[in-house]
Amino acid sequence: MYFLGRPVALFSGMDLVTRVNNMEFTMTGAGTTEYDVGTNNNNNNNNKTKETTKRPKGPKVFGSNNLMFEKNKARHLFLRQLIGSAMTPKALVDALPTIQQTAKDVIEQQVLKPMMAQSAATIKMEDVCVDYTMDIVRNQLLGLQLAKEEANDFREKLKDWMKGLFSIAAILRIPFLVTRSKPYKAKVFIESKLEEKIDSLLRDGPDSSTLSNMVFAIDDDKQQLSREDVVQNALLLVSAGAETSAGTLTLAMLLLGVHPDKFRKLVQEQQVVVENHGTQLTPSILDKECPYLDAVVKETLRIGPITGGFPRRVKDTFVIDGVQIPKDWSVFTSYRLTHQLDPVTALPNDAHMDVYQGFQPDRWIDPATTPSDFVPFGAGPRFCLGYHLSMMEMKVFLAIFARSVTSFHLQNYSAETKRPIKWNPSTIIPRPTDGVELHSIVEMAAESSTTCRPTTAS
Ligand code: HEM
């Protein structure tokens, strides 16, 4: 195929995708048109703490001086190690209570309370999921303790910034347009909050936030991230993590809404968990006691993954599986196509990717039906750094939702009508244009909340 006038070789299949991605830093390089890897030979520079990658100058809505755009192998590894150390399963043990409380607060405030107050309430689950991920950014990633009004303001600023992803200002990069744009102003505000927080961490010592881990992380050579590294990569985590997790959760709500039998199974699993272990979730409960929850999340990621990462520029002609890929072409590894062509799940007419026909979480329970080609978090040296955090975040939200609401109906889509889904064309993870509107005919669970009276509304 062609991308911005350049020939691109498209790859799919887990094995091939992994092999091609693994060629980065040797045969190919990360980059869109803005980075010509072929003429930039800094990949062999071993100075891991200093920036050597050439960056476009001027004000930007989304910066590129972070690990996602890092082309120097040693520095990329260094950044991954120190930033990633804040998101290992071990580091996340302390994060779970904050994440669970955030899910509980958002679901109570934005789903249960409006349902109780107004019998005909319609709730847009996309908004709920976006607010949840924004609150995780504030509470866990950045560890900002803000009063209610300030917290709401911060959430809106995060949303303003994220809207810049597809804005003219971000794409054209005309300084005059950029500095006047709402997303850029929001970014400056978020950066100022980050700077304040780093000052307080340096003054008062570490806390359990991801940002704190980044500030104090040290590698085997006793090297630390610079202040600029911390700020720019914290911004990366916000942008890489919020849209992806919120989009996947929104899609999960659509899938569970049109498959009430599957939602019922999720509810039953959580009822057993609460009976046996009480309400507090732990990493071990999520891993060992919630196989159906895990299956729902994986099945959602299978049906609606990111299309792929950035196209990589080919530095030297190479041959793979007997096919020659010429120098200066680009390669694109498609995660979406990999799922579409997975030999275990593939059905005629791509029915296995369809919202109505394809959603079968049970396929993940039996090894014989478990998909063999599954790469929603990428593969190779740029495998998603937020994998553990995002899985935890998504599972906790769905678990708390299934403990709070035992059945719900969608406004616009159902298994009976099988109305074709209208997809929003400008999102990274597929989301329907209506934002998954939840209709008010909802049964709330008895222990759904301490502040909401349990009820059955119809
Ligand atoms: C459903 C949620 C998520 C999905 C589906 C997802 C998917 C991905 C994929 C496919 C890549 C690789 C892109 C490539 O091939 O170039 C990636 C990279 C990355 N992700 Fe995620 N992601 C999710 C959540 C998160 C979260 C919550 C964070 C952090 C808070 C995060 C941080 C990153 C970072 C930093 C990279 C770049 C790694 C590098 O370049 O070395 N992601 N993600």
Side-chain angles (χ1 to χ4, degrees):
M1 65 181 200
Y2 280 81
F3 178 70
L4 299 175
R6 182 177 293 272
V8 182
L10 176 68
F11 292 89
S12 74
M14 194 149 109
D15 170 59
L16 203 47
V17 159
T18 309
R19 279 193 285 145
V20 172
N21 280 2
N22 277 337
M23 288 178 182
E24 188 166 352
F25 304 110
T26 52
M27 302 300 283
T28 68
T32 55
T33 47
E34 127 195 12
Y35 302 117
D36 192 340
V37 180
T39 59
N40 182 344
N41 289 322
N42 60 28
N43 276 3
N44 299 326
N45 185 324
N46 278 328
N47 190 341
K48 59 186 180 183
T49 52
K50 285 231 172 67
E51 273 253 33
T52 48
T53 302
K54 283 184 199 152
R55 314 273 178 202
K57 294 206 167 37
K60 289 170 227 81
V61 177
F62 288 90
S64 55
N65 43 343
N66 57 46
L67 93 148
M68 195 180 256
F69 292 92
E70 184 55 60
K71 291 186 294 174
N72 178 304
K73 188 176 180 179
R75 186 162 157 77
H76 176 252
L77 256 179
F78 167 72
L79 292 174
R80 262 189 88 92
Q81 194 191 344
L82 293 196
I83 298 159
S85 71
M87 290 184 290
T88 58
K90 199 163 162 257
L92 287 174
V93 172
D94 292 342
L96 188 47
T98 306
I99 295 177
Q100 182 167 352
Q101 190 58 46
T102 307
K104 197 164 177 286
D105 290 348
V106 170
I107 290 169
E108 252 174 44
Q109 292 303 319
Q110 300 195 30
V111 180
L112 304 183
K113 278 206 170 152
M115 287 286 177
M116 297 290 291
Q118 217 188 330
S119 61
T122 302
I123 289 155
K124 202 169 167 180
M125 285 312 292
E126 180 178 27
D127 292 346
V128 179
C129 298
V130 168
D131 284 358
Y132 168 63
T133 51
M134 296 297 168
D135 288 1
I136 298 278
V137 165
R138 187 189 69 232
N139 295 339
Q140 176 51 42
L141 271 180
L142 311 181
L144 298 178
Q145 311 293 334
L146 303 177
K148 198 172 169 208
E149 267 188 24
E150 227 190 325
N152 287 341
D153 186 42
F154 188 74
R155 191 198 265 166
E156 293 312 309
K157 288 283 191 312
L158 284 172
K159 286 196 219 167
D160 284 347
W161 181 48
M162 291 308 296
K163 279 184 202 142
L165 207 57
F166 298 103
S167 70
I168 300 286
I171 296 162
L172 294 182
R173 295 233 193 85
I174 301 168
F176 163 84
L177 272 182
V178 172
T179 49
R180 280 170 179 72
S181 70
K182 211 171 173 186
Y184 181 79
K185 287 181 186 162
K187 181 190 142 191
V188 171
F189 174 83
I190 298 162
E191 274 175 339
S192 73
K193 288 284 164 202
L194 279 171
E195 295 284 358
E196 277 172 28
K197 175 72 190 188
I198 294 172
D199 285 342
S200 84
L201 285 168
L202 292 173
R203 193 181 53 238
D204 306 330
D207 62 21
S208 62
S209 67
T210 311
L211 188 77
S212 170
N213 268 286
M214 285 164 67
V215 168
F216 296 105
I218 278 185
D219 78 353
D220 294 342
D221 301 327
K222 308 237 175 320
Q223 301 286 349
Q224 278 186 281
L225 297 171
S226 69
R227 193 174 173 116
E228 174 71 2
D229 285 342
V230 172
V231 172
Q232 293 310 320
N233 285 287
L235 286 173
L236 167 68
L237 297 188
V238 175
S239 57
E243 158 75 23
T244 43
S245 302
T248 306
L249 277 176
T250 308
L251 182 61
M253 293 309 302
L254 171 72
L255 292 163
L256 292 167
V258 297
H259 295 277
D261 54 322
K262 317 264 165 32
F263 183 62
R264 187 85 214 137
K265 279 182 96 166
L266 194 62
V267 170
Q268 283 163 352
E269 184 176 79
Q270 286 309 307
Q271 284 168 347
V272 173
V273 169
V274 172
E275 267 166 40
N276 293 341
H277 302 280
T279 52
Q280 186 59 52
L281 286 164
T282 63
S284 147
I285 292 174
L286 285 177
D287 287 348
K288 298 195 185 103
E289 312 287 330
C290 307
Y292 198 73
L293 175 62
D294 184 63
V296 165
V297 173
K298 285 185 177 148
E299 186 65 350
T300 305
L301 287 160
R302 186 188 68 76
I303 290 184
I306 290 177
T307 311
F310 294 108
R312 270 82 166 159
R313 184 76 53 87
V314 177
K315 290 197 287 190
D316 289 306
T317 300
F318 67 92
V319 175
I320 187 158
D321 291 354
V323 177
Q324 177 176 290
I325 312 294
K327 178 176 185 239
D328 280 340
W329 277 38
S330 289
V331 293
F332 179 71
T333 47
S334 174
Y335 308 141
R336 159 97 203 172
L337 194 58
T338 298
H339 292 188
Q340 206 169 325
L341 300 179
D342 169 49
V344 178
T345 46
L347 288 175
N349 301 322
D350 289 334
H352 61 301
M353 303 299 282
D354 180 72
V355 165
Y356 294 108
Q357 302 170 68
F359 186 62
Q360 303 291 347
D362 280 299
R363 69 170 94 242
W364 293 93
I365 310 285
D366 180 354
T369 54
T370 297
S372 62
D373 282 18
F374 182 60
V375 279
F377 293 98
R382 290 188 188 271
F383 179 80
C384 177
L385 207 60
Y387 165 72
H388 295 291
L389 174 64
S390 67
M391 285 301 280
M392 181 182 273
E393 189 177 345
M394 294 188 291
K395 284 186 191 181
V396 169
F397 180 89
L398 293 176
I400 301 298
F401 188 84
R403 291 174 183 193
S404 315
V405 172
T406 53
S407 83
F408 66 95
H409 298 265
L410 299 181
Q411 179 88 335
N412 297 317
Y413 301 108
S414 74
E416 287 74 43
T417 59
K418 291 205 170 44
R419 203 169 166 194
I421 314 284
K422 282 192 191 154
W423 296 106
N424 186 336
S426 59
T427 58
I428 291 175
I429 302 283
R431 302 181 194 184
T433 45
D434 77 336
V436 187
E437 284 180 354
L438 199 133
H439 192 264
S440 60
I441 306 170
V442 167
E443 203 183 315
M444 291 183 197
E447 88 302 338
S448 65
S449 129
T450 45
T451 51
C452 292
R453 205 163 28 89
T455 185
T456 303
S458 61

